[in-house]
Amino acid sequence: MIIDRIEAILVDVPTTRPHKLAFATVAEQNYVIVRVFADGAMGIGEAATIGGPRWGEESTEGIKATIDGYIAPVLIGQNARNLNAIETRVAQAVRGNAFARAAVVMAVHDLVARASGVSVAELLGGAQTQSLELIWTLASGDTDRDIAEGEEMLENRRHRHFKIKIGFGDAERDTTHAVKLAHAFAGRASIRVDLNQAWDEPTACRLLPKLAGAGVVLVEQPLPRWNVEGMARLSATATGTVIMADEGVASCHDALAHVRLRAADAFALKVTKSGGYAETRRVAAIADAAGVGLYGGCMLETGVGTAGYLQLFATFSHLAWACELFGPRLLQHDIIATPLAMHDFAIHLPKGPGTGVTIDPDKFDFYRRDRGRPSRKAG
Ligand code: MUC
Ligand code: MG
């Protein structure tokens, strides 16, 4: 199966409501959809960014340039079935740029799995579950609106775990917002908080006990990703809540550094931040070896990337902190033909070869940036 063409296409899809994070408010999500061709067959992959190069260093424009200029040339002419060699070749050709590498790796796996008549999960050794408990993020920025949204999610049996985004304003006010939400859903939904690196250590030391006291079960990346020792000090202090690393743990080396210092009780896994399936599995293996809990993270993907992540997450024996593969639900429209099944508080693994999803050509054409739609960037 010799790879003969790789395309990277920019896609922008508006969200159903503004999604307010510590570093940006997102009204539109930006994607690179990758198509890899061999022997007349095609595989698809995706990289999603949040707020341009603000969650991490990569923007969709940069990801496309890296794929077109540096990844595609080293993969054209290679046998797609040599999946390990493909990941190594890409990693040798391009330093960093994990999202660009992952989108291509995802597409090559989809291509090979489809051609073999198996799912990506089967290609990775087989799924161990057909559904995963699914979290929702309350991030409208308004307490009453978040409570109403959470009530609706509970009533419709969509989600019973909520992640609250804070870190965008005054730390005391943000804490009050999270505490109000924790009280509103006490005993009915688990509440987690994501700071996206916004606090410094003294602020976290002061406010984490307040969050824990209100029943917040997990706090995600409270400190900047470089402050691994600070994360270790927070984890060692009995704050009463689990500390999870997200931005701080991308590579297996990051995972090892966190484990050595016991800097987190849980790791958020993301196929794109780790540069592909192989490295994500190495991060998960290190977590397992150290008794660190796993969480299935996301970057607010469309159905394409969500399915790509889901195929891997379903191969793990246990995700202690569930997953947040809700991206398509935050979008005005998904770009896949048949929506992913999300009901009864879970997301369900699609049947069929590859990632189990296909692109809807009309929606894809509509949201492609090169078809003239202006992109509305994050504020
Ligand atoms: C992040 O940092 O976890 C995932 C869900 C969400 O609302 O934002 C993302 C990114
Ligand atoms: Mg996070």
Side-chain angles (χ1 to χ4, degrees), residues 195-201 221-231 247-248 258:
L195 270 304
N196 284 113
Q197 317 185 63
W199 283 352
D200 58 17
E201 206 176 327
Q221 200 68 51
L223 305 182
R225 69 180 184 190
W226 56 263
N227 197 355
V228 185
E229 290 180 5
M231 290 279 282
E247 287 90 331
H258 277 68

Side-chain angles (χ1 to χ4, degrees), residues 234-352:
L234 285 184
S235 298
T237 323
T239 57
T241 185
V242 162
I243 305 290
M244 183 162 81
D246 180 11
E247 287 90 331
V249 174
S251 69
C252 61
H253 309 293
D254 298 330
L256 200 56
H258 277 68
V259 159
R260 280 201 175 117
L261 290 176
R262 290 239 48 109
D265 314 298
F267 289 169
L269 303 174
K270 295 181 182 176
V271 178
T272 45
K273 75 174 173 181
S274 293
Y277 288 126
E279 188 76 351
T280 313
R281 295 171 96 186
R282 284 191 280 270
V283 170
I286 290 169
D288 273 347
V292 169
L294 297 182
Y295 177 67
C298 84
M299 290 295 291
L300 310 177
E301 283 77 10
T302 73
V304 174
T306 300
Y309 274 48
L310 179 58
Q311 291 288 336
L312 173 67
F313 292 165
T315 67
F316 295 125
S317 61
H318 183 51
L319 288 183
W321 294 97
C323 83
E324 58 179 23
L325 294 177
F326 65 83
R329 191 164 266 167
L330 189 67
L331 302 178
Q332 288 187 15
H333 295 111
D334 201 350
I335 57 166
I336 58 173
T338 307
L340 285 159
M342 297 184 193
H343 52 79
D344 294 304
F345 307 116
I347 181 166
H348 305 271
L349 193 64
K351 306 256 180 282

Side-chain angles (χ1 to χ4, degrees), residues 36-47:
V36 176
F37 299 85
D39 298 350
M42 183 184 78
I44 47 176
E46 174 185 302

